Amino acid sequence: MNRRILRRVLSNFMVGLMIGAVVVALIPLFFILLNLVLKGAGSLSMEFFTRTPAPAGETGGGVVHALVGTLLIVGTASLIGLPIGVGAGIYCAEYPTSRLTWITRFVADVLNGTPSIVVGVFAWAWIVAQQKHFSALAGSVALALLMIPMVLRTTEEMIKLVPNSLREAALALGYPRWRTSLSVVIRTTLPGIMTGALLAIARIAGETAPLLFTALGSQYLSFDLDQPMAALPLTVFTYATGPYEEWHRYAWAAALVLIIVVFVLSLGARLAVRRRFAING
Amino acid sequence: MNATLRPQTVVPAPKVTLGPRQPAARPAGKDGPAVDVRDFSFFYGPRQALRNLSFSIERKAVTAIIGPSGCGKSTFLRSINRLNDLIPGIRQQGDILVEGTSVYRPGTDLVSLRQRVGMVFQRPNPFPKTVFENVAYGPALNALVSRRDLPDLVERCLRQAGLWDEVKDRLDEPGTSLSGGQQQRLCIARALGNQPEVLLMDEPCSALDPIATQRIEELIFDLKQHYTIVIVTHNMQQAARVSDFTGFFDQGQLIEFDQTERLFTKPAHERTEAYITGRFG
């Protein structure tokens, strides 16, 4: 048997297998998008983005309450979660031999694997049950708890990529260690850290379970973080399981909007990486 | 350059002299040696990297450290500005005096030490910031000059580093966009920004092509009018070309220290002769 032909056949076969795997991975994504566009795009209108829902049984209305709610809840969650996650990530990367780092990493990994509904239960027990009412803030806390381990690990990985020679250069100029971290290491990795943050935001924007018994959902436009609030994933959930045909159409449209939001965030993360300032060495 | 041998008037107590060929120590104080190494030993955990080094480095002269790989050249250099401090498990005995001030006395201010002792590394490691910011980075730390005078200082440093004419129109471009040789001269300018007393160079040309190397060597020759320079090099021709004094290290010991010309023409020790004639190392 000619070994060269055998080798080529085997090579092509393996490449074929891998292309097949890629196609199989993409098919569900494609059908999800197609399905959402087909069933949801028809319901998108100015009204959909600017009005609150019509009373049950009537037609018309929109999901502006859920859009605003998602922005507020996710924004608050980011305000809580990003500084903690990024800060802890910097600590873990800059003091890799400290015992605290070992513990933090372990806890972050456990937290990363925790089902989001468990985190929701936690937020319910500690905030909702104590205050005796549902609130958007409780939802934000639950989402922030989900964000922290994600952001922590991406921040740490990004900082580890900074060449040691850069760190030494700053130290040799007399920079104390903490200022070296802040002005050289962090500045160099800022695009990477931002990417991690955006991806974490995209991830939690679609979370439903932690909001079910914290932010609860609402039919009204609300800006009060201390009160129940609507959010896009909750709206999808409510409308999709509701009895009316119109609700089902709105659920598809809201899902489409949610996917678009996540898509835009991910795309922004990609662009941030591409503009990354070149590091040498 | 002051290569004349004078009678030793003051010999610090723990100092071990190496025989008649050691360059005479000048009286201590401002007229004493720029760097005074006193019975200095250094350990990485259980491994001893430097053994009882004692010698003096002349002010406003170039001192080259040569020796086979792993002989402790870089360790010694990084002991002068205590850049080894970051490595866990190190310890040292003896002391090094920079312009009369102890480096290892408890309570030594690392920030001011590293401002007085600049360092240039093996690979060019400019910060991913603009050319201007790279040079201004050191002096901006402790406000060595007022913000208004910063541009003048940056220009002066870039001129001293022989880079001004090449980058004066590109001060806002990232330092990483320069060529390798230019980057290394930028790193020299960055070290000069702190107006150091001593400039350490750790194989500054090993990553550069012959033309860039020649430029750096010419630069070293110019810089010694203002600075005390200690250069570690693998390249014996380079040591012979640029330095006034040369120390030969082997297995953590200082085998021989003398005026460069004498060390290369009439080495006192067999091992030195074997090394510079290429019979080992």
Side-chain angles (χ1 to χ4, degrees):
Chain A
M1 181 79 191
N2 190 330
R3 290 184 63 179
R4 205 182 304 169
I5 293 177
L6 182 69
R7 198 149 63 197
R8 192 175 300 163
V9 168
L10 198 64
S11 165
N12 287 341
F13 176 69
M14 287 300 175
V15 170
L17 274 185
M18 281 183 277
I19 292 175
V22 168
V23 169
V24 171
L26 285 179
I27 284 174
L29 184 69
F30 174 75
F31 274 108
I32 289 172
L33 282 177
L34 187 72
N35 220 349
L36 280 176
V37 170
L38 285 181
K39 297 192 175 169
S43 308
L44 293 183
S45 61
M46 270 311 280
E47 202 184 350
F48 188 76
F49 290 107
T50 52
R51 298 274 295 275
T52 51
E58 289 180 32
T59 57
V63 294
V64 67
H65 65 310
L67 266 173
V68 169
T70 284
L71 282 179
L72 281 176
I73 293 173
V74 171
T76 311
S78 304
L79 280 182
I80 304 169
L82 288 183
I84 298 176
V86 171
I90 293 169
Y91 179 86
C92 287
E94 292 288 303
Y95 299 91
T97 51
S98 130
R99 181 177 295 265
L100 189 59
T101 294
W102 189 87
I103 296 169
T104 309
R105 253 185 225 146
F106 180 74
V107 171
D109 284 343
V110 171
L111 212 57
N112 242 341
T114 308
S116 56
I117 193 147
V118 175
V119 175
V121 171
F122 172 81
W124 180 86
W126 281 91
I127 301 175
V128 176
Q130 303 292 319
Q131 290 191 317
K132 299 198 186 342
H133 65 83
F134 294 99
S135 73
L137 192 63
S140 294
V141 169
L143 294 184
L145 282 176
L146 286 171
M147 269 181 113
I148 288 170
M150 284 188 264
V151 177
L152 191 154
R153 289 316 294 258
T154 47
T155 303
E156 188 188 351
E157 293 306 320
M158 290 295 164
I159 290 178
K160 278 191 189 156
L161 291 178
V162 176
N164 214 21
S165 62
L166 225 51
R167 213 169 267 143
E168 287 186 338
L171 289 171
L173 284 174
Y175 271 67
R177 190 138 174 217
W178 64 272
R179 277 192 71 166
T180 302
S181 299
L182 224 63
S183 69
V184 176
V185 178
I186 307 303
R187 212 184 126 167
T188 310
T189 41
L190 207 54
I193 294 175
M194 273 171 56
T195 306
L198 281 176
L199 289 179
I201 292 173
R203 234 311 300 276
I204 60 154
E207 281 290 347
T208 321
L211 297 180
L212 280 174
F213 26 75
T214 50
L216 189 68
S218 143
Q219 290 292 305
Y220 310 102
L221 182 61
S222 161
F223 297 94
D224 187 355
L225 285 173
D226 200 35
Q227 292 299 318
M229 197 183 275
L232 276 174
L234 286 176
T235 306
V236 174
F237 179 74
T238 318
Y239 280 11
T241 51
Y244 309 104
E245 195 52 40
E246 171 135 34
W247 277 23
H248 296 164
R249 281 205 310 277
Y250 272 33
W252 284 110
L256 180 62
V257 171
L258 188 57
I259 283 266
I260 290 171
V261 168
V262 172
F263 181 73
V264 167
L265 281 175
S266 304
L267 204 67
R270 280 289 152 93
L271 289 177
V273 170
R274 195 173 300 171
R275 275 194 331 206
R276 185 173 179 167
F277 221 54
I279 311 172
N280 73 321
Chain B
M1 165 171 94
N2 188 343
T4 48
L5 289 165
R6 290 193 209 164
Q8 281 188 308
T9 46
V10 173
V11 181
K15 192 161 171 155
V16 180
T17 48
L18 283 165
R21 286 189 166 218
Q22 196 201 19
R26 290 194 277 174
K30 243 351 190 188
D31 288 332
V35 179
D36 197 358
V37 186
R38 295 183 172 178
D39 199 23
F40 187 75
S41 298
F42 190 88
F43 302 82
Y44 291 111
R47 196 169 67 80
Q48 184 164 10
L50 299 175
R51 294 169 192 276
N52 305 79
L53 303 178
S54 283
F55 64 107
S56 310
I57 289 168
E58 187 95 8
R59 186 175 297 108
K60 293 190 181 173
V62 179
T63 301
I65 308 288
I66 59 169
S69 296
C71 69
K73 304 183 297 279
S74 292
T75 302
F76 168 67
L77 206 64
R78 296 159 71 95
S79 296
I80 302 177
N81 67 349
R82 284 184 64 173
L83 210 56
N84 286 326
D85 275 22
L86 286 181
I87 303 164
I90 54 138
R91 69 194 166 85
Q92 70 283 322
Q93 287 161 5
D95 201 355
I96 298 175
L97 271 64
V98 174
E99 294 292 352
T101 314
S102 166
V103 170
Y104 284 96
R105 187 193 53 200
T108 295
D109 180 10
L110 282 185
V111 173
S112 83
L113 170 72
R114 287 171 181 163
Q115 276 173 349
R116 287 162 50 221
V117 183
M119 186 158 191
V120 177
F121 295 83
Q122 196 167 349
R123 297 191 150 273
N125 55 355
F127 298 125
K129 300 171 184 261
T130 68
V131 171
F132 183 91
E133 284 172 324
N134 262 283
V135 184
Y137 195 73
L141 168 65
N142 269 7
L144 287 179
V145 295
S146 72
R147 190 162 285 278
R148 220 184 39 233
D149 296 331
L150 213 49
D152 285 341
L153 179 72
V154 169
E155 179 179 341
R156 200 163 71 237
C157 293
L158 285 169
R159 279 189 193 283
Q160 278 190 336
L163 192 61
W164 176 253
D165 290 332
E166 290 159 61
V167 300
K168 63 184 175 200
D169 300 321
R170 321 167 49 179
L171 292 176
D172 290 332
E173 286 179 33
T176 43
S177 69
L178 303 176
S179 75
Q182 288 174 329
Q183 286 189 16
Q184 192 63 308
R185 275 179 283 146
L186 178 63
C187 292
I188 293 173
R190 180 177 65 187
L192 298 182
N194 273 341
Q195 296 160 302
E197 293 157 4
V198 179
L199 192 57
L200 310 175
M201 300 180 129
D202 190 357
E203 299 184 44
C205 302
S206 65
L208 303 181
D209 66 66
I211 293 169
T213 299
Q214 195 190 342
R215 293 220 53 175
I216 303 271
E217 287 181 6
E218 287 164 6
L219 182 58
I220 292 171
F221 199 80
D222 293 339
L223 287 175
K224 76 174 176 187
Q225 294 173 2
H226 306 285
Y227 304 95
T228 303
I229 296 175
V230 187
I231 178 172
V232 161
T233 176
H234 257 117
N235 181 334
M236 277 174 284
Q237 285 77 31
Q238 183 171 65
R241 280 193 302 262
V242 302
S243 71
D244 304 303
F245 298 94
T246 300
F248 171 61
F249 277 42
D250 191 19
Q251 294 175 5
Q253 282 175 305
L254 179 69
I255 305 297
E256 189 167 352
F257 188 88
D258 209 334
Q259 291 170 35
T260 299
E261 207 186 318
R262 266 214 273 182
L263 188 127
F264 277 97
T265 51
K266 284 180 277 177
H269 287 259
E270 254 177 69
R271 276 202 280 183
T272 316
E273 191 178 349
Y275 182 71
I276 61 178
T277 53
R279 275 187 277 132
F280 92 98

mmCIF file of all heavy atoms in Angstrom, chain A residues 163 166 188 191 273-281, chain B residues 126-129 174-177 183:
data_model
loop_
_atom_site.group_PDB
_atom_site.id
_atom_site.type_symbol
_atom_site.label_atom_id
_atom_site.label_comp_id
_atom_site.label_asym_id
_atom_site.label_seq_id
_atom_site.Cartn_x
_atom_site.Cartn_y
_atom_site.Cartn_z
ATOM 1 N N PRO A 163 3.655 39.899 30.085
ATOM 2 C CA PRO A 163 5.007 39.387 30.273
ATOM 3 C C PRO A 163 5.640 39.960 31.536
ATOM 4 O O PRO A 163 5.446 41.125 31.864
ATOM 5 C CB PRO A 163 5.764 39.838 29.020
ATOM 6 C CG PRO A 163 4.901 40.851 28.368
ATOM 7 C CD PRO A 163 3.508 40.643 28.836
ATOM 8 N N LEU A 166 7.696 43.265 31.613
ATOM 9 C CA LEU A 166 7.025 44.560 31.723
ATOM 10 C C LEU A 166 6.884 44.965 33.186
ATOM 11 O O LEU A 166 7.074 46.120 33.557
ATOM 12 C CB LEU A 166 5.633 44.438 31.089
ATOM 13 C CG LEU A 166 5.189 45.550 30.161
ATOM 14 C CD1 LEU A 166 6.230 45.833 29.105
ATOM 15 C CD2 LEU A 166 3.884 45.166 29.504
ATOM 16 N N THR A 188 -2.348 47.466 30.585
ATOM 17 C CA THR A 188 -2.048 46.603 29.453
ATOM 18 C C THR A 188 -3.182 45.624 29.192
ATOM 19 O O THR A 188 -3.495 45.309 28.049
ATOM 20 C CB THR A 188 -0.758 45.817 29.726
ATOM 21 O OG1 THR A 188 0.237 46.731 30.150
ATOM 22 C CG2 THR A 188 -0.290 45.101 28.492
ATOM 23 N N PRO A 191 -8.241 45.978 27.841
ATOM 24 C CA PRO A 191 -9.168 45.448 26.837
ATOM 25 C C PRO A 191 -9.597 44.020 27.145
ATOM 26 O O PRO A 191 -10.777 43.674 26.981
ATOM 27 C CB PRO A 191 -8.353 45.492 25.539
ATOM 28 C CG PRO A 191 -7.266 46.457 25.781
ATOM 29 C CD PRO A 191 -6.957 46.388 27.248
ATOM 30 N N VAL A 273 -11.243 43.187 21.851
ATOM 31 C CA VAL A 273 -10.034 42.358 21.805
ATOM 32 C C VAL A 273 -9.200 42.716 20.582
ATOM 33 O O VAL A 273 -7.985 42.807 20.636
ATOM 34 C CB VAL A 273 -10.404 40.865 21.761
ATOM 35 C CG1 VAL A 273 -9.171 40.032 21.474
ATOM 36 C CG2 VAL A 273 -11.006 40.450 23.080
ATOM 37 N N ARG A 274 -9.864 42.927 19.473
ATOM 38 C CA ARG A 274 -9.119 43.164 18.251
ATOM 39 C C ARG A 274 -8.345 44.468 18.311
ATOM 40 O O ARG A 274 -7.274 44.595 17.750
ATOM 41 C CB ARG A 274 -10.082 43.198 17.054
ATOM 42 C CG ARG A 274 -9.337 43.066 15.752
ATOM 43 C CD ARG A 274 -10.274 42.939 14.580
ATOM 44 N NE ARG A 274 -11.125 41.764 14.695
ATOM 45 C CZ ARG A 274 -12.145 41.537 13.872
ATOM 46 N NH1 ARG A 274 -12.439 42.392 12.923
ATOM 47 N NH2 ARG A 274 -12.878 40.461 14.004
ATOM 48 N N ARG A 275 -8.905 45.473 19.006
ATOM 49 C CA ARG A 275 -8.196 46.749 19.076
ATOM 50 C C ARG A 275 -7.125 46.752 20.138
ATOM 51 O O ARG A 275 -6.498 47.758 20.387
ATOM 52 C CB ARG A 275 -9.207 47.858 19.382
ATOM 53 C CG ARG A 275 -9.876 48.381 18.139
ATOM 54 C CD ARG A 275 -10.534 49.646 18.529
ATOM 55 N NE ARG A 275 -10.887 49.529 19.963
ATOM 56 C CZ ARG A 275 -11.867 50.200 20.511
ATOM 57 N NH1 ARG A 275 -12.526 51.032 19.812
ATOM 58 N NH2 ARG A 275 -12.137 50.056 21.790
ATOM 59 N N ARG A 276 -6.930 45.613 20.743
ATOM 60 C CA ARG A 276 -6.007 45.499 21.859
ATOM 61 C C ARG A 276 -4.622 46.033 21.489
ATOM 62 O O ARG A 276 -4.084 45.730 20.448
ATOM 63 C CB ARG A 276 -5.898 44.027 22.217
ATOM 64 C CG ARG A 276 -5.076 43.800 23.409
ATOM 65 C CD ARG A 276 -5.183 42.345 23.750
ATOM 66 N NE ARG A 276 -4.339 42.122 24.910
ATOM 67 C CZ ARG A 276 -4.383 41.028 25.628
ATOM 68 N NH1 ARG A 276 -5.206 40.094 25.311
ATOM 69 N NH2 ARG A 276 -3.593 40.886 26.635
ATOM 70 N N PHE A 277 -4.088 46.816 22.370
ATOM 71 C CA PHE A 277 -2.755 47.389 22.205
ATOM 72 C C PHE A 277 -1.738 46.257 22.173
ATOM 73 O O PHE A 277 -1.759 45.391 23.014
ATOM 74 C CB PHE A 277 -2.492 48.293 23.421
ATOM 75 C CG PHE A 277 -1.817 49.568 23.087
ATOM 76 C CD1 PHE A 277 -2.337 50.415 22.142
ATOM 77 C CD2 PHE A 277 -0.644 49.914 23.728
ATOM 78 C CE1 PHE A 277 -1.712 51.598 21.848
ATOM 79 C CE2 PHE A 277 -0.025 51.100 23.431
ATOM 80 C CZ PHE A 277 -0.551 51.947 22.494
ATOM 81 N N ALA A 278 -0.874 46.238 21.172
ATOM 82 C CA ALA A 278 0.066 45.129 21.045
ATOM 83 C C ALA A 278 1.029 45.089 22.233
ATOM 84 O O ALA A 278 1.576 46.095 22.630
ATOM 85 C CB ALA A 278 0.842 45.262 19.758
ATOM 86 N N ILE A 279 1.210 43.905 22.793
ATOM 87 C CA ILE A 279 2.228 43.713 23.839
ATOM 88 C C ILE A 279 3.387 42.976 23.181
ATOM 89 O O ILE A 279 3.174 42.027 22.450
ATOM 90 C CB ILE A 279 1.707 42.835 24.984
ATOM 91 C CG1 ILE A 279 0.355 43.322 25.456
ATOM 92 C CG2 ILE A 279 2.700 42.785 26.115
ATOM 93 C CD1 ILE A 279 -0.271 42.375 26.449
ATOM 94 N N ASN A 280 4.570 43.430 23.420
ATOM 95 C CA ASN A 280 5.702 42.672 22.852
ATOM 96 C C ASN A 280 6.282 41.764 23.915
ATOM 97 O O ASN A 280 6.043 41.914 25.097
ATOM 98 C CB ASN A 280 6.777 43.614 22.318
ATOM 99 C CG ASN A 280 7.530 44.275 23.433
ATOM 100 O OD1 ASN A 280 6.942 44.651 24.443
ATOM 101 N ND2 ASN A 280 8.819 44.407 23.274
ATOM 102 N N GLY A 281 7.062 40.823 23.451
ATOM 103 C CA GLY A 281 7.774 39.968 24.401
ATOM 104 C C GLY A 281 7.028 38.724 24.783
ATOM 105 O O GLY A 281 6.043 38.357 24.264
ATOM 106 N N PRO B 126 9.673 48.073 26.318
ATOM 107 C CA PRO B 126 8.937 49.328 26.506
ATOM 108 C C PRO B 126 7.508 49.035 26.952
ATOM 109 O O PRO B 126 6.969 47.983 26.637
ATOM 110 C CB PRO B 126 8.953 49.962 25.112
ATOM 111 C CG PRO B 126 9.127 48.822 24.175
ATOM 112 C CD PRO B 126 9.967 47.809 24.909
ATOM 113 N N PHE B 127 6.929 49.968 27.716
ATOM 114 C CA PHE B 127 5.534 49.816 28.105
ATOM 115 C C PHE B 127 4.652 50.014 26.884
ATOM 116 O O PHE B 127 5.011 50.762 25.973
ATOM 117 C CB PHE B 127 5.153 50.856 29.152
ATOM 118 C CG PHE B 127 5.930 50.739 30.416
ATOM 119 C CD1 PHE B 127 6.625 51.821 30.918
ATOM 120 C CD2 PHE B 127 5.970 49.543 31.117
ATOM 121 C CE1 PHE B 127 7.346 51.719 32.098
ATOM 122 C CE2 PHE B 127 6.691 49.430 32.292
ATOM 123 C CZ PHE B 127 7.379 50.519 32.775
ATOM 124 N N PRO B 128 3.502 49.378 26.853
ATOM 125 C CA PRO B 128 2.573 49.621 25.745
ATOM 126 C C PRO B 128 1.917 50.992 25.895
ATOM 127 O O PRO B 128 0.708 51.103 25.990
ATOM 128 C CB PRO B 128 1.571 48.463 25.855
ATOM 129 C CG PRO B 128 1.672 47.991 27.249
ATOM 130 C CD PRO B 128 3.026 48.328 27.748
ATOM 131 N N LYS B 129 2.734 52.005 25.957
ATOM 132 C CA LYS B 129 2.286 53.390 26.043
ATOM 133 C C LYS B 129 3.044 54.161 24.976
ATOM 134 O O LYS B 129 3.886 53.593 24.284
ATOM 135 C CB LYS B 129 2.612 53.977 27.410
ATOM 136 C CG LYS B 129 1.973 53.258 28.579
ATOM 137 C CD LYS B 129 2.553 53.783 29.879
ATOM 138 C CE LYS B 129 2.027 53.033 31.067
ATOM 139 N NZ LYS B 129 0.946 53.692 31.758
ATOM 140 N N PRO B 174 2.882 54.480 19.903
ATOM 141 C CA PRO B 174 3.252 53.531 20.954
ATOM 142 C C PRO B 174 4.733 53.154 20.878
ATOM 143 O O PRO B 174 5.288 52.995 19.785
ATOM 144 C CB PRO B 174 2.361 52.316 20.679
ATOM 145 C CG PRO B 174 1.763 52.526 19.347
ATOM 146 C CD PRO B 174 1.806 53.986 19.045
ATOM 147 N N GLY B 175 5.365 53.031 22.034
ATOM 148 C CA GLY B 175 6.775 52.660 22.084
ATOM 149 C C GLY B 175 7.034 51.317 21.433
ATOM 150 O O GLY B 175 8.126 51.042 20.948
ATOM 151 N N THR B 176 6.003 50.474 21.428
ATOM 152 C CA THR B 176 6.172 49.141 20.867
ATOM 153 C C THR B 176 6.218 49.162 19.345
ATOM 154 O O THR B 176 6.504 48.145 18.726
ATOM 155 C CB THR B 176 5.016 48.229 21.318
ATOM 156 O OG1 THR B 176 3.795 48.964 21.220
ATOM 157 C CG2 THR B 176 5.202 47.799 22.745
ATOM 158 N N SER B 177 5.920 50.330 18.723
ATOM 159 C CA SER B 177 5.932 50.372 17.262
ATOM 160 C C SER B 177 7.332 50.654 16.724
ATOM 161 O O SER B 177 7.553 50.602 15.518
ATOM 162 C CB SER B 177 4.962 51.454 16.762
ATOM 163 O OG SER B 177 5.456 52.730 17.093
ATOM 164 N N GLN B 183 13.751 50.441 20.329
ATOM 165 C CA GLN B 183 13.066 50.125 21.586
ATOM 166 C C GLN B 183 14.067 50.049 22.732
ATOM 167 O O GLN B 183 13.802 50.530 23.826
ATOM 168 C CB GLN B 183 12.330 48.787 21.466
ATOM 169 C CG GLN B 183 11.076 48.849 20.643
ATOM 170 C CD GLN B 183 10.263 47.570 20.738
ATOM 171 O OE1 GLN B 183 10.469 46.755 21.612
ATOM 172 N NE2 GLN B 183 9.341 47.393 19.815
#
